[in-house]
Amino acid sequence: MDEYMRSFRGRIDRRHIAPVTIAVVGVGRVGGWLALELARLVPHRLVLIDGDNYEERNVSGHPLPAEYVGMNKAVAMADWLEQEVPGIEITAIPYYVDEGIEDDTIYEDVIEPAAVVVVATDKLEVQRRVADLARSAEVPAIIPGIAADGSGRGEAFISFSEDQPCFSCFDGFRPADAPVRGAAAVALDAAPAVHLGFSLTLAVLDPNSREAELLTPLREGGPVPQLFRAWPPGSPELAHADSGATEVPWRQNCPGCGGRREPVMTRRRAMRQRQEQRRRDRPSWEVPRRLAWSLYLLELFVLVVFSALSGGEVVGIMAASLTLGFGYWAGRRFERVVARPG
């Protein structure tokens, strides 16, 4: 797997990776290898979530050594990665994302601190739930998987916000208990899905990376691609001209989002709009006010000098009053002109 992944590593600007938190939900055959590859980027923090224990049957397709058998996967992976990749902060959350966990808990533990969430669990209902929570919070969510048809094909869906189709717009036809990846015994079968998850994470975090080109619209004025496919090494499909990136249309009466197209005011978007509004208001208030006061002080200085040099006391006072009044009017006039929209 390491040799295979090395061929897909592009240019990486550590300035985009070092300060971020990456969350990985599910650290099985796909999520385990993804956690390893993402840890090697040395982000500020890696959050791993999984309620399963590491079993003997997992060893053949997982990066964890056999001595971790019997431990919780998230805890074991965190312990191993801290030894393999020094300098990274790793948080292990050993719980299942099921009906016993409230949305607020998932949001606080997983969504809110993350710059990107990789949903690598093989439970479809968990994929949909975490993807929907991330989408509403405008946190990019990447859902990689292995096709269950035995082809070994990897698929990955990515969402950014509620302005785009949701994960259910793509997979809403599947029953909640449908398998989302086939069983395989060796790690290389997971390589296409790991490759997609790793590449899309880089595309989101580093706009200067080679992988960022994946998010370029396929046609002028078109939407950002959301569905990506990759085939196993040596597969004849690799010779096809199709890039494997596919636009996902809105699904009418989607069970996840209802097929909404109108932008939704999310908490993060509202906060960003308030910050932008404050930035727009700052020049119209602070800068003109300071300039106005500077003009007032200048006029006061002129008043003092003019009064001291004036031969007639009455004439000096009148001139000074007119000068001060003109300065006040000019300052207020300037403030209103600058504050005017447009």
Side-chain angles (χ1 to χ4, degrees), residues 16-79:
H16 297 287
I17 308 297
V20 305
T21 293
I22 303 173
V24 180
V25 182
V27 287
R29 287 193 310 110
V30 172
W33 285 104
L34 264 174
L36 172 60
E37 293 298 327
L38 294 174
R40 286 171 173 168
L41 298 176
V42 197
H44 169 68
R45 184 179 175 216
L46 193 64
V47 179
L48 307 178
I49 305 98
D50 202 312
D52 280 337
N53 287 337
Y54 191 51
E55 301 177 5
E56 289 186 5
R57 62 185 178 88
N58 303 136
V59 175
S60 63
H62 203 281
L64 273 177
E67 57 262 30
Y68 286 97
V69 168
M71 291 182 60
N72 172 269
K73 286 182 179 178
V75 174
M77 199 73 194
D79 180 77

Side-chain angles (χ1 to χ4, degrees), residues 246-320:
T246 306
E247 298 176 5
V248 176
W250 290 92
R251 183 181 179 88
Q252 188 175 7
N253 300 320
C254 173
C257 66
R260 290 179 301 191
R261 294 173 179 269
E262 294 299 323
V264 178
M265 184 56 66
T266 63
R267 177 166 44 185
R268 182 169 296 192
R269 184 174 299 174
M271 182 182 299
R272 185 161 60 243
Q273 287 189 1
R274 287 195 297 269
Q275 292 172 345
E276 292 175 354
Q277 185 62 44
R278 283 197 294 269
R279 283 196 295 269
R280 286 194 297 267
D281 291 343
R282 191 174 299 123
S284 66
W285 173 253
E286 294 179 1
V287 175
R289 177 60 61 88
R290 288 197 297 267
L291 290 176
W293 274 110
S294 298
L295 185 58
Y296 299 158
L297 293 175
L298 177 62
E299 295 298 340
L300 181 60
F301 175 75
V302 173
L303 165 64
V304 174
V305 173
F306 188 82
S307 298
L309 299 177
S310 175
E313 185 175 339
V314 176
V315 175
I317 293 175
M318 291 178 61

Side-chain angles (χ1 to χ4, degrees), residues 165-190:
C166 72
F167 182 50
S168 293
C169 285
F170 157 61
D171 85 327
F173 60 89
R174 295 174 177 167
D177 58 352
V180 292
R181 57 174 56 92
V186 294
L188 194 59
D189 293 336

Side-chain angles (χ1 to χ4, degrees), residues 208-240:
N208 300 320
S209 67
R210 182 179 59 195
E211 285 78 6
E213 298 176 3
L214 291 170
L215 303 181
T216 303
L218 302 180
R219 54 189 172 84
E220 186 175 356
V224 174
Q226 290 182 266
L227 180 62
F228 301 83
R229 297 187 175 96
W231 288 263
S235 173
E237 285 86 348
L238 288 177
H240 289 181

